[in-house]
Amino acid sequence: MFFSGFPRMIGLSFFPRLSQLTIIGQNIEHIDGLECCPLLQELWIVQCHLTEISGLQNCLQLEKLYLYENKISEIKNLDLQVHLEVLWINNNCITKIKGLDTLLDLKELNLADNIIEKIGHSLDPNVNLQKLNLSGNKISSFKELSQLARLPRLSELALKDPTSTPNPVCLLCNYDTHILYHVPSLQRLDIYDVSSKQIKEAAESAVMKKMMYYNMRVRTAQRKLAETRLSLIERKKTLSQSPEECIKTLTRALKFVCTLHKIGISQDPATEHKVHAKIEALRKRLKLWTRRLDEIHIWYERDLARATNRMEYTVQFLLMELESVGNIRLEEGCSTDPWFTSCCDLLLSRFSPSDYKTYGITDIRVNRVIRIHNSALRLCFEDKIHRLLASEDLSSQNYRRQLEYLFYIVDPEKCEKDETLQILQEGFKTTEQQKAMGKEGAIPFSNSLSLNEQSRIEYTLRQTSQGHTKHSMDTIPFRHGQVNVSKVFVGRSMPIRDGEPVDRSNYPGVYSVYRSVETKHRSKTHTDLESSPRRRQWFVFDHELVLPEYIIYYEYITQDKDKPTLLSHSTDRDPSNDVALDKEVLNREPVLKPQPKLLSLDDKILLSVARANVLSQITVLNLHGNSLSNIKEISSLTALRHLTVSFNEFTHLDDISHMPNLEFLDASFNHLVTLEGLRGLGQLKQLDVRWNKLTKVREDTAVLRKHTPALLKLDTRYNPWNRPEAVRMTILGHLMNLTHLDDVLVAEEEAAEAVQMAAGSKINQASLLAHSRTKSDRPRTLSLLSTAQLLYHLSPSPWGLGKELDQDWTAKITTLNLDNKRISKMINLSKLVNLRWASFNDNEISKVEGLDNCLKLEELSLNNNSICTLSGLTRLHCLNKLSVDGNRLTSLDVSTLDGLSSLSFLSAENNCIASLHGIQRLRSLLELYIGSNQISTSRDIYCLKVSI
């Protein structure tokens, strides 16, 4: 039916065997009368006035449906059309792709000339889709096109069909390369034949080179962080040297005085009073130096966190560039760049010291400026401006007058990093999205730094007062900040009316509204540049009229410009004065006379020190402050309950074993490197091992768990642990009876959490089910993550809750991601015979083992563990990618390398490798990362030459 005069679908009941129906150019608004046509296979209702898809519930045999050039705004009511193979709903008003989940047989889909901006996961169920037309929509992001990689049979794709306007993404650089890499099954892209093998290989090669380039840049950023960490550690050591020496001297004296007090060396009340006074004075000085040491540690943690945050931002920026194929680029400025200087001047012009007078802030310093290049957002912004210029009586001169560079006001309670990255990629949220988040229906900006910072400062001070921030000891906890500078077209604007919500509906005909803030106590300094218009808070209604252009990182300067850091208040006094005060306290009466140091023990000495007549009567023994390195002689002291061996030369405690009555042991201020050797201390309740050289928390905790079952109090502070951030939870997870750890009461909730974490640190059925996947193909995505990490994050777990497991379920596992699980041993992997991709990063693994049956393993990542040798990999002939960064390798094991005939990628950065000998045996090697090692001779370069 293609002549006019058919406003309603009637009379179809006379055609019960109808298989094809075509209606063109009618005034039909609803689909009616198809209840009597159950055999209908092809339906055309085009160039009509349909507003929705409906009335098809009885057409269960429908295979082809054409509804183009109507007024349909939503795809719905197609759940029953499971046999549908062709669907055309182009030239409608559709904004979202949805409602296609049940159409598993769909082969051709035409959604051209709608208002679609995102693809998302909406087409994932349509795995049989072969032809897709999305031309004439508003897709502007490469990230959306990457979603099409999940359509394995897609052979024809149109995004800029000649009959439609191209999507904004089609105007970006590397559009074709991006599509061809992510959808290798394509035979036709837009109007071009792309079936040639050479075309696909060119795209693959281009992407591989891009990924190698960005991989190197990411590693450079990570290497820079490692160098910064080493520099901070060295400075921390230098700053800590004086406090540590003072703490040791004062502690030694305190222990001696306390010993004198306990044994009652004098009953004279006056002397007793002096002893008490000296003890209190020593404790006071110790408290001061301990606080000083804690401040240094907080300074170190804060500066390291800031450097880490900067590195993470840099890495995210690089990954954003990679994923957008260079259409989003973040350029770091320097003082020679004119735009860098302009940004600094802009920030200074909008900073007024008088606004910060109460905080003692006198100036501001710019630390870093990032310039944002987002081609898609710029095209959108310029297109919007051109449309406004065309539709309104607005000259280019007037247009420029209405452009402002404004500071975006962030919500301090939201994650600043997430919001910043979202803005850089996708721009600002729409007013509808703002309102859905409970915010005002506009994007907030300001032309004043103090206005922009007000909410952040208040939030940070509130958090600090509640002890929720590491900057609680900094006089200016909000010292470091960042601001997003955007180009904003404010257009027609007006002041906000009192009591009226900021919403477009309340201000028709304007693009933005503003609230003026009166300037108070404005001082005449270099900031007189700000004598421009009054300070205002702006609210912009249209997100397309805002273009993010710069990110400025800055730091507030206080009155004491030379000491802006956390340490200022602890270094503003003369160190020699503190040392003099220590000496004054140490020289108070009773003055401790130098005692001869014991180098060895015998029965006579033991009786003398313990002031006892018989060895079997000794219950308390104080050997503090000697030069002892072994004490085998105490093995006969079976009644000993209290033992102090602090300030000696012990490296191990092998001699302190099988003492069934020992309850207290103080071995602080020694040179202990391990607790291995402690045996049979069944009654030990308190152990002090502060100020030693312990590094392996898991091994030492295992010793205590086995041989000190009654332990209640443990102090492990001031040891150079390998992973200091994990020490407390590791100890609590294994020593479940502890009541105090490091002089802090153990809460029930903390203990329960630690036990739960410890249970998850073993490779067992539960951890395999939780962290494995069964996908057989690597995702085609521009990501530098390993395949194991990618599949773990992108794919749902195949093992449903309560789902019965097959007998051979382990044989289905292809992917295993056990990063950061505190695993110490690689066990229970023998049944993973089809494992292809595995990651064990950030654990406590010391030996590569358990992989002998994983012969299909292609990628293995073991970064940041404690591995000393690569033995255990010799049978993995299929392995083509190996990463062992941040371990303790000293060489490349030649016998192991001989078996890795397929290895094309090897990364062994940040180890202790001194030679590249053996690398030439890797004939398939394409990528080698070996930075931050101990290679010192140019002779090793020859090994690489042979390998090449």
Side-chain angles (χ1 to χ4, degrees):
M1 301 179 184
F2 48 89
F3 294 114
S4 61
F6 193 65
R8 290 177 55 210
M9 296 175 62
I10 57 174
L12 295 175
S13 58
F14 297 107
F15 306 96
R17 300 175 68 84
L18 191 68
S19 62
Q20 180 178 343
L21 174 61
T22 303
I23 303 174
I24 302 175
Q26 307 298 320
N27 294 325
I28 295 172
E29 296 183 0
H30 303 283
I31 301 175
D32 299 310
L34 295 179
E35 298 85 359
C36 302
C37 304
L39 302 180
L40 193 65
Q41 295 180 350
E42 186 173 329
L43 175 62
W44 297 63
I45 305 179
V46 300
Q47 298 174 3
C48 295
H49 297 86
L50 289 181
T51 57
E52 65 175 0
I53 303 174
S54 60
L56 300 175
Q57 58 271 18
N58 283 6
C59 303
L60 303 181
Q61 303 300 316
L62 201 61
E63 296 178 0
K64 297 181 180 180
L65 178 60
Y66 301 88
L67 300 173
Y68 59 85
E69 293 191 43
N70 283 288
K71 298 179 181 179
I72 299 168
S73 59
E74 184 179 358
I75 307 173
K76 60 181 182 179
N77 299 323
L78 293 175
D79 297 348
L80 301 177
Q81 279 61 52
V82 294
H83 298 294
L84 200 63
E85 295 182 2
V86 178
L87 176 60
W88 284 34
I89 39 179
N90 47 306
N91 290 90
N92 278 283
C93 309
I94 295 165
T95 57
K96 290 183 180 180
I97 304 176
K98 60 178 184 177
L100 304 174
D101 295 359
T102 62
L103 309 185
L104 305 184
D105 291 340
L106 193 64
K107 296 178 180 177
E108 182 177 347
L109 176 62
N110 191 335
L111 288 167
D113 299 304
N114 280 286
I115 323 169
I116 297 167
E117 295 183 1
K118 295 184 180 297
I119 298 173
H121 293 269
S122 55
L123 296 175
D124 288 4
N126 310 112
V127 292
N128 290 306
L129 196 62
Q130 297 174 9
K131 297 180 181 180
L132 176 63
N133 192 338
L134 288 166
S135 302
N137 282 286
K138 294 189 174 183
I139 299 169
S140 59
S141 166
F142 276 128
K143 184 178 283 189
E144 294 304 315
L145 298 187
S146 302
Q147 312 289 352
L148 301 176
R150 291 188 290 273
L151 300 176
R153 294 177 177 81
L154 191 63
S155 59
E156 294 186 23
L157 174 65
L159 289 159
K160 53 176 182 178
D161 192 292
T163 61
S164 306
T165 56
N167 282 275
V169 72
C170 303
L171 306 177
L172 302 180
C173 299
N174 300 307
Y175 153 72
D176 318 51
T177 302
H178 185 86
I179 292 288
L180 291 173
Y181 171 75
H182 283 87
V183 193
S185 59
L186 277 187
Q187 302 298 305
R188 192 169 191 81
L189 175 60
D190 300 323
I191 60 172
Y192 302 104
D193 181 352
V194 293
S195 58
S196 167
K197 182 181 178 182
Q198 288 79 3
I199 293 177
K200 304 287 178 63
E201 288 177 348
E204 195 85 23
S205 174
V207 169
M208 187 183 77
K209 291 174 184 175
K210 280 281 186 187
M211 293 181 74
M212 289 175 66
Y213 168 73
Y214 281 100
N215 192 14
M216 286 188 283
R217 289 192 62 186
V218 166
R219 287 172 178 273
T220 301
Q222 293 169 340
R223 203 174 295 129
K224 189 174 181 180
L225 174 63
E227 292 169 359
T228 302
R229 181 187 287 110
L230 288 175
S231 175
L232 289 172
I233 288 172
E234 288 301 313
R235 189 170 175 221
K236 181 184 176 184
K237 284 181 180 178
T238 303
L239 291 170
S240 300
Q241 190 172 355
S242 178
E244 287 178 0
E245 288 300 322
C246 292
I247 286 172
K248 289 178 181 179
T249 302
L250 292 167
T251 304
R252 181 190 291 263
L254 179 63
K255 285 181 179 286
F256 269 122
V257 176
C258 288
T259 301
L260 292 176
H261 176 60
K262 284 180 182 178
I263 64 176
I265 199 166
S266 173
Q267 302 298 328
D268 179 15
T271 304
E272 196 72 21
H273 175 74
K274 290 179 181 178
V275 170
H276 274 292
K278 186 164 185 173
I279 288 174
E280 287 304 313
L282 286 168
R283 285 174 175 166
K284 187 176 180 180
R285 297 301 301 167
L286 266 174
K287 188 176 181 181
L288 180 144
W289 285 113
T290 303
R291 186 173 71 247
R292 196 79 52 88
L293 206 59
D294 290 341
E295 289 172 2
I296 292 170
H297 179 70
I298 290 172
W299 158 81
Y300 167 78
E301 290 288 336
R302 188 199 64 187
D303 277 27
L304 180 60
R306 190 176 300 125
T308 303
N309 187 56
R310 177 167 179 162
M311 184 276 295
E312 288 174 350
Y313 261 115
T314 300
V315 170
Q316 288 293 338
F317 292 164
L318 291 170
L319 294 179
M320 200 181 297
E321 284 186 30
L322 172 62
E323 290 170 2
S324 67
V325 204
N327 286 284
I328 300 175
R329 189 166 58 87
L330 289 306
E331 178 184 2
E332 181 144 5
C334 62
S335 57
T336 57
D337 296 320
W339 58 266
F340 179 91
T341 307
S342 298
C343 283
C344 294
D345 292 342
L346 176 69
L347 191 72
L348 290 171
S349 71
R350 296 182 179 181
F351 165 77
S352 172
S354 60
D355 295 333
Y356 301 88
K357 193 173 182 180
T358 55
Y359 309 114
I361 292 172
T362 58
D363 206 347
I364 192 170
R365 176 169 58 228
V366 175
N367 292 328
R368 188 185 190 194
V369 181
I370 300 291
R371 189 179 188 181
I372 304 165
H373 301 273
N374 188 317
S375 303
L377 293 182
R378 184 168 293 279
L379 284 172
C380 179
F381 178 81
E382 292 174 352
D383 180 62
K384 184 76 174 184
I385 294 297
H386 289 152
R387 281 186 277 130
L388 287 177
L389 289 172
S391 63
E392 299 186 11
D393 186 15
L394 187 66
S395 66
S396 59
Q397 187 175 3
N398 288 333
Y399 143 71
R400 286 191 173 84
R401 287 176 184 167
Q402 294 174 341
L403 277 177
E404 294 269 3
Y405 277 97
L406 300 176
F407 301 153
Y408 173 61
I409 301 176
V410 300
D411 182 351
E413 297 189 18
K414 303 292 183 185
C415 179
E416 186 176 49
K417 183 184 292 184
D418 290 346
E419 186 171 19
T420 298
L421 295 174
Q422 186 266 329
I423 290 170
L424 296 184
Q425 284 183 289
E426 302 174 15
F428 292 92
K429 294 185 182 297
T430 64
T431 53
E432 291 76 16
Q433 290 171 324
Q434 290 276 123
K435 286 190 282 187
M437 296 168 62
K439 298 182 180 181
E440 292 182 289
I443 309 167
F445 293 92
S446 76
N447 62 359
S448 161
L449 185 62
S450 61
L451 276 180
N452 186 80
E453 284 278 76
Q454 185 176 349
S455 57
R456 184 180 78 91
I457 290 174
E458 291 173 355
Y459 176 77
T460 305
L461 291 176
R462 190 164 61 250
Q463 292 290 101
T464 302
S465 66
Q466 296 170 0
H468 294 159
T469 173
K470 289 184 179 180
H471 309 309
S472 56
M473 300 182 76
D474 192 349
T475 54
I476 309 293
F478 54 86
R479 185 183 302 277
H480 293 265
Q482 68 181 68
V483 64
N484 184 311
V485 182
S486 297
K487 184 189 289 186
V488 181
F489 180 72
V490 295
R492 287 193 300 273
S493 59
M494 64 180 294
I496 295 175
R497 293 188 285 265
D498 291 340
E500 200 164 79
V502 178
D503 193 279
R504 190 193 293 262
S505 60
N506 295 326
Y507 298 93
V510 301
Y511 297 111
S512 62
V513 293
Y514 59 86
R515 180 186 293 120
S516 297
V517 180
E518 293 298 327
T519 306
K520 296 180 181 179
H521 312 298
R522 189 71 69 157
S523 63
K524 300 293 182 182
T525 64
H526 70 274
T527 54
D528 285 340
L529 292 166
E530 63 188 358
S531 56
S532 54
R534 290 183 303 173
R535 296 188 297 173
R536 288 178 175 176
Q537 190 173 3
W538 290 87
F539 295 89
V540 182
F541 294 122
D542 192 338
H543 71 290
E544 292 184 342
L545 294 176
V546 180
L547 180 65
E549 293 220 320
Y550 305 97
I551 303 174
I552 305 177
Y553 298 85
Y554 53 86
E555 175 183 357
Y556 291 117
I557 306 300
T558 50
Q559 292 169 347
D560 188 356
K561 293 186 180 181
D562 296 328
K563 297 170 184 173
T565 67
L566 176 69
L567 297 174
S568 59
H569 63 281
S570 65
T571 57
D572 56 5
R573 52 199 300 176
D574 186 0
S576 61
N577 187 39
D578 279 319
V579 174
L581 288 172
D582 285 353
K583 287 182 178 179
E584 187 270 325
V585 171
L586 290 168
N587 291 330
R588 288 186 186 181
E589 291 189 3
V591 178
L592 302 175
K593 297 179 181 179
Q595 299 289 326
K597 292 187 177 182
L598 300 174
L599 299 176
S600 62
L601 295 176
D602 56 29
D603 292 354
K604 185 177 178 181
I605 293 174
L606 286 174
L607 291 172
S608 173
V609 171
R611 297 175 181 269
N613 298 319
V614 183
L615 292 175
S616 60
Q617 292 178 346
I618 297 176
T619 60
V620 177
L621 182 61
N622 190 338
L623 297 171
H624 161 78
N626 289 287
S627 298
L628 298 170
S629 59
N630 64 77
I631 46 174
K632 295 178 181 178
E633 294 76 10
I634 69 166
S635 59
S636 59
L637 307 183
T638 55
L640 191 64
R641 297 172 59 190
H642 193 291
L643 176 62
T644 300
V645 291
S646 54
F647 287 96
N648 278 282
E649 304 296 329
F650 292 101
T651 57
H652 53 81
L653 298 175
D654 294 25
D655 299 332
I656 305 175
S657 58
H658 303 293
M659 307 190 76
N661 294 309
L662 191 66
E663 296 179 359
F664 175 93
L665 174 59
D666 181 357
S668 58
F669 296 92
N670 277 283
H671 307 290
L672 298 177
V673 294
T674 178
L675 296 182
E676 190 70 42
L678 285 176
R679 296 282 188 277
L681 303 180
Q683 295 300 316
L684 189 67
K685 294 180 174 62
Q686 189 168 341
L687 175 62
D688 189 347
V689 288
R690 289 174 299 155
W691 295 99
N692 279 285
K693 297 181 179 180
L694 300 173
T695 58
K696 300 178 181 179
V697 63
R698 185 178 285 273
E699 289 85 341
D700 291 334
T701 304
V703 172
L704 295 177
R705 181 178 184 179
K706 184 176 181 180
H707 299 288
T708 61
L711 193 63
L712 298 177
K713 294 183 179 181
L714 174 64
D715 203 333
T716 65
R717 289 172 290 171
Y718 308 112
N719 278 286
W721 300 110
N722 286 336
R723 299 176 185 273
E725 71 283 352
V727 168
R728 186 171 180 85
M729 296 304 281
T730 300
I731 293 174
L732 292 178
H734 292 83
L735 304 180
M736 290 169 277
N737 293 328
L738 284 183
T739 60
H740 292 77
L741 176 58
D742 297 340
D743 205 26
V744 176
L745 184 68
V746 177
E748 288 184 16
E749 298 81 6
E750 184 183 28
E753 182 184 355
V755 170
Q756 186 176 1
M757 290 179 66
S761 67
K762 295 179 180 177
I763 303 178
N764 50 30
Q765 179 172 313
S767 60
L768 289 177
L769 289 172
H771 301 98
S772 65
R773 299 293 184 265
T774 56
K775 293 278 186 179
S776 57
D777 295 317
R778 188 189 194 280
R780 296 190 73 83
T781 176
L782 295 178
S783 173
L784 299 181
L785 293 176
S786 67
T787 304
Q789 293 167 329
L790 267 176
L791 285 172
Y792 176 74
H793 292 298
L794 297 179
S795 308
S797 173
W799 326 106
L801 285 174
K803 188 177 179 181
E804 189 173 347
L805 295 173
D806 296 335
Q807 190 172 359
D808 62 340
W809 66 275
T810 51
K812 296 179 181 179
I813 294 176
T814 60
T815 306
L816 186 61
N817 180 27
L818 287 169
D819 290 350
N820 198 23
K821 299 300 175 188
R822 300 187 179 178
I823 294 167
S824 58
K825 286 190 176 182
M826 299 172 66
I827 57 175
N828 295 325
L829 302 173
S830 58
K831 295 183 179 179
L832 308 187
V833 293
N834 288 309
L835 185 66
R836 294 175 61 190
W837 306 289
S839 183
F840 299 90
N841 297 335
D842 303 299
N843 284 293
E844 299 168 19
I845 299 168
S846 57
K847 182 181 179 182
V848 182
E849 56 188 339
L851 298 173
D852 290 346
N853 291 346
C854 305
L855 301 181
K856 295 183 180 180
L857 196 62
E858 297 175 21
E859 290 185 20
L860 177 61
S861 187
L862 291 160
N863 298 334
N864 303 320
N865 282 282
S866 303
I867 299 167
C868 299
T869 175
L870 294 178
S871 60
L873 301 176
T874 50
R875 298 187 62 190
L876 305 182
H877 304 305
C878 294
L879 193 68
N880 60 53
K881 190 170 184 179
L882 174 63
S883 186
V884 285
D885 299 338
N887 281 280
R888 300 177 185 174
L889 298 173
T890 56
S891 65
L892 298 172
D893 192 339
V894 176
S895 60
T896 300
L897 297 183
D898 276 338
L900 304 180
S901 56
S902 302
L903 198 68
S904 62
F905 176 104
L906 173 61
S907 181
E909 294 195 329
N910 195 24
N911 279 279
C912 307
I913 297 171
S915 171
L916 291 178
H917 176 65
I919 196 73
Q920 66 271 19
R921 297 174 184 270
L922 298 175
R923 297 294 181 182
S924 301
L925 196 64
L926 294 176
E927 291 182 68
L928 173 64
Y929 300 92
I930 202 78
S932 300
N933 277 284
Q934 297 177 7
I935 299 168
S936 56
T937 62
S938 57
R939 182 174 62 246
D940 285 289
I941 304 300
Y942 178 75
C943 299
L944 293 178
K945 183 178 179 182
V946 173
S947 179
I948 291 170

